[in-house]
Amino acid sequence: MAEIVILDRTAAGELAADVILALVARKPDAVLGLATGSTPLAVYQALAARGADLTDVRGFALDEYVGLPPGHPESYRAVITREVIEPLGLNPSLVRVPGDRGPIETAGDDYERSIVAAGGVDLQILGIGTDGHIGFNEPGSSFESLTRVKTLTQQTREDNARFFASVDEVPVNCITQGLGTIRRAKHLLLLAFGEAKAEAIAAAVEGPVTASAPGSAIQLHPHVTVLVDEAAASRLSNIDYYRYAWANKPAWESL
Ligand code: F6R
């Protein structure tokens, strides 16, 4: 089962930075799967503050809107550049975003080929939507799905309207790594903060494995770390056990 660690946002960012830097120490050209949105900012900020040399690290963004004008500040290419590539000192030519090359019709297959050619994603950073999506795999997405164009739910568009002037400006379509793509990553690091994520986290960690709760795909993966604050953990039934397991984690065992 996933390892659940309950800690505040800042501490979660620091712990995630520890995990990423340990990976990069072992493998300087490690392949990171990069989520955007508010949640992973804690991780990117903690990493930037460490000032480590990450110039050989390769990155694959989880998803991107389809239909925004090129260079739009809320395109995930722009967000990844602003929030990840620049502060962390990554090499922009080593970071891809779905749909960044060739026609959109074949962009999904092209992205999958690039991930395979890179040797796969070593560590996939994930947030979760209030409707349970990971990447932009909305409820009903196949657990075997690969990178492809999808349609956002109205709930997700409303959640993301805070980044735009109005909900009408949030694109309807997106291109996202599939649940199958995410499941192929070697280690999943899922973060969630705040009460609004509590239900989605409970469904992902403890609910039945069902396409209706895309986050529950993590239960099929052998190496998952979930970093949540008290509010996001508040609907977990087995919370006492997660705390106990974390407190009794063998010192030799890494995350
Ligand atoms: C972003 C992504 C989404 C977000 C999710 C949560 O690349 O794939 O699944 O992780 O929508 O967004 P925030 O973190 O803004 O609450």
Side-chain angles (χ1 to χ4, degrees), residues 35-40 62-63 76 127-129 133-136 162 197:
T36 47
S38 311
T39 308
L62 260 180
D63 40 21
Y76 283 175
I128 191 164
H133 69 232
I134 54 173
F136 273 147
R162 68 191 192 281
K197 302 294 176 71

Side-chain angles (χ1 to χ4, degrees), residues 1 9 35 54 58 60 62 72 96 104 113 128-129 143-144 150 174 178 186 190 208 215-217 234 240 242-243 247:
M1 70 178 232
R9 185 187 291 257
L54 302 176
R58 296 167 289 166
F60 286 92
L62 260 180
H72 189 288
R96 291 209 50 200
I104 194 70
R113 277 194 298 272
I128 191 164
F143 285 166
E144 295 295 319
K150 291 287 289 179
C174 62
K186 296 172 187 90
L190 171 63
S216 67
S234 59
D240 292 343
Y242 307 139
R243 290 189 210 279

Side-chain angles (χ1 to χ4, degrees), residues 9 34-41 44 61-65 76 80 124-138 156 159-160 162-163 176 182 190-193 197:
R9 185 187 291 257
L34 301 167
T36 47
S38 311
T39 308
L41 283 175
Y44 302 137
L62 260 180
D63 40 21
E64 174 61 293
Y65 293 114
Y76 283 175
I80 288 276
Q124 176 64 62
I125 300 165
L126 294 169
I128 191 164
T130 57
D131 69 357
H133 69 232
I134 54 173
F136 273 147
N137 296 282
E138 301 286 24
T156 298
D159 286 349
N160 288 4
R162 68 191 192 281
F163 298 114
T176 181
I182 292 167
L190 171 63
L191 300 103
F193 309 117
K197 302 294 176 71

Side-chain angles (χ1 to χ4, degrees), residues 142-201:
S142 162
F143 285 166
E144 295 295 319
S145 53
L146 300 178
T147 306
R148 72 241 185 268
V149 173
K150 291 287 289 179
T151 305
L152 296 171
T153 60
Q154 189 59 19
Q155 175 71 57
T156 298
R157 293 182 69 231
E158 282 165 15
D159 286 349
N160 288 4
R162 68 191 192 281
F163 298 114
F164 294 83
S166 77
V167 67
D168 299 329
E169 284 187 21
V170 183
V172 170
N173 293 118
C174 62
I175 177 165
T176 181
Q177 289 189 31
L179 294 174
T181 321
I182 292 167
R183 287 176 54 207
R184 288 177 186 172
K186 296 172 187 90
H187 182 189
L188 304 182
L189 186 60
L190 171 63
L191 300 103
F193 309 117
E195 166 67 26
K197 302 294 176 71
E199 204 173 307
I201 282 293

Side-chain angles (χ1 to χ4, degrees), residues 42-84:
V43 181
Y44 302 137
Q45 285 162 359
L47 262 182
R50 306 281 181 99
D53 178 4
L54 302 176
T55 44
D56 292 331
V57 165
R58 296 167 289 166
F60 286 92
L62 260 180
D63 40 21
E64 174 61 293
Y65 293 114
V66 172
L68 287 179
H72 189 288
E74 292 308 328
S75 71
Y76 283 175
R77 164 54 79 180
V79 172
I80 288 276
T81 300
R82 200 166 58 231
E83 294 174 352
V84 186

Side-chain angles (χ1 to χ4, degrees), residues 205-228:
V205 173
E206 296 178 341
V209 174
T210 164
S212 300
S216 67
I218 67 170
Q219 295 178 42
L220 300 172
H221 195 286
H223 189 186
V224 184
T225 307
V226 179
L227 306 183
V228 278

